[in-house]
Amino acid sequence: MKLFLAEDDAVLADALLTRLSQLGFEVCHRSDGLAAQQMLLSEAFDAVILDIGLPGQDGLKVLRHVRVHQPALPILLLTALDSMEDRVAGLDAGADDYLVKPFDFPELEARIRALLRRQRASDSVRDELQREELHFGPLRLDRSAQRAWAGAQPLELSARELELLFILMSQAEKVLSKEQISAALSGEGEEIGSNAVEVYVHRLRKKLDGSGAGIRAVRGLGYLLTLAEDS
């Protein structure tokens, strides 16, 4: 896995490079904001550790610029600023996570692993979503025709409900978190929150009633599509 580190504190950067390399990561480092931005836009990385207080160009500006070109790249912010306003500003700028200095290395490592897990899960969902027609038990969905059936009976679904059914069928009998569903449903310039996901799941569940398939809520984890006898 290839990580990018943008940190201007030489002592901290050296410690991070050593620790992350010991964990098996390939790490590229820059200490200047402009140099970091140029590197992020010219090479591919699996995740980024980005300090806010960089010389040349601060980390938030780098983050905003990179997000335009790489919206899915996992980015963890490092900062000495720990107010609520600072954390909100970092997350609103596009950070996936936020870690305040000083920190313990095990926490940083855990946060990086979590970012990479979420990215792999999202990639898996996106790969499945390339398929056009899906079957699960009595359900059949044709994405190109924008139609779905339970046996021979057409299902009357809205565009959003149809897309949700497609997402669930593509990962049938696997638990999908609200965050994964939200990411898959959200489009360019549009974000579907977890509350909206709950509403769409509720509506779709009602329309699947009696179809032979159902949506099960797994407490604390998310939702999965199952056959009726399992739901």
Side-chain angles (χ1 to χ4, degrees):
M1 303 295 283
K2 189 175 181 181
L3 303 183
F4 182 80
L5 171 65
E7 173 58 62
D8 65 316
D9 183 319
V11 174
L12 177 58
D14 184 63
L16 287 172
L17 287 168
T18 300
R19 187 64 174 260
L20 293 170
S21 296
Q22 290 173 345
L23 292 172
F25 293 109
E26 177 185 350
V27 188
C28 178
H29 171 242
R30 292 292 184 273
S31 59
D32 174 88
L34 289 174
Q37 179 174 296
Q38 182 178 6
M39 180 64 69
L40 286 168
L41 295 178
S42 61
E43 293 194 23
F45 295 95
D46 295 295
V48 176
I49 303 169
L50 177 64
D51 182 36
I52 288 182
L54 295 172
Q57 181 157 279
D58 71 70
L60 288 183
K61 290 182 180 179
V62 174
L63 174 59
R64 293 188 186 99
H65 193 81
V66 170
R67 270 288 172 254
V68 173
H69 302 277
Q70 300 191 57
L73 178 64
I75 299 177
L76 169 67
L77 280 184
L78 297 181
T79 180
L81 306 173
D82 63 352
S83 72
M84 176 63 73
E85 291 76 12
D86 293 320
R87 291 196 294 272
V88 169
L91 295 171
D92 282 347
D96 296 287
D97 203 353
Y98 192 103
L99 188 58
V100 177
K101 301 175 184 177
F103 53 83
D104 294 323
F105 283 120
E107 182 179 5
L108 174 66
E109 294 162 16
R111 288 175 183 267
I112 293 171
R113 289 194 298 268
L115 286 178
L116 293 173
R117 281 197 304 271
R118 289 198 293 269
Q119 181 66 22
R120 286 193 294 269
S122 296
D123 288 344
S124 174
V125 171
R126 281 195 293 270
D127 289 343
E128 287 292 337
L129 292 183
Q130 301 305 311
R131 297 163 60 187
E132 288 298 318
E133 183 168 310
L134 295 176
H135 298 263
F136 178 71
L139 300 179
R140 178 168 68 91
L141 188 149
D142 186 332
R143 202 180 193 194
S144 60
Q146 291 291 289
R147 297 188 67 191
W149 298 262
Q153 183 65 36
L155 294 171
E156 298 298 326
L157 305 177
S158 69
R160 191 73 73 192
E161 291 162 355
L162 187 73
E163 189 67 12
L164 173 59
L165 180 59
F166 188 87
I167 293 165
L168 293 170
M169 289 180 68
S170 72
Q171 300 287 301
E173 297 188 317
K174 296 179 183 178
V175 177
L176 291 179
S177 69
K178 290 180 185 178
E179 291 75 17
Q180 287 176 288
I181 296 173
S182 172
L185 282 176
S186 298
E188 189 79 24
E190 179 186 26
E191 183 172 344
I192 304 299
S194 60
N195 289 339
V197 169
E198 291 180 4
V199 171
Y200 292 130
V201 167
H202 175 72
R203 292 176 181 172
L204 180 57
R205 181 184 280 133
K206 290 179 66 176
K207 292 185 178 182
L208 291 179
D209 190 36
S211 70
I215 302 171
R216 177 190 294 173
V218 181
R219 187 176 180 84
L221 296 176
Y223 302 100
L224 77 159
L225 187 67
T226 67
L227 296 179
E229 58 266 27
D230 299 325
S231 60

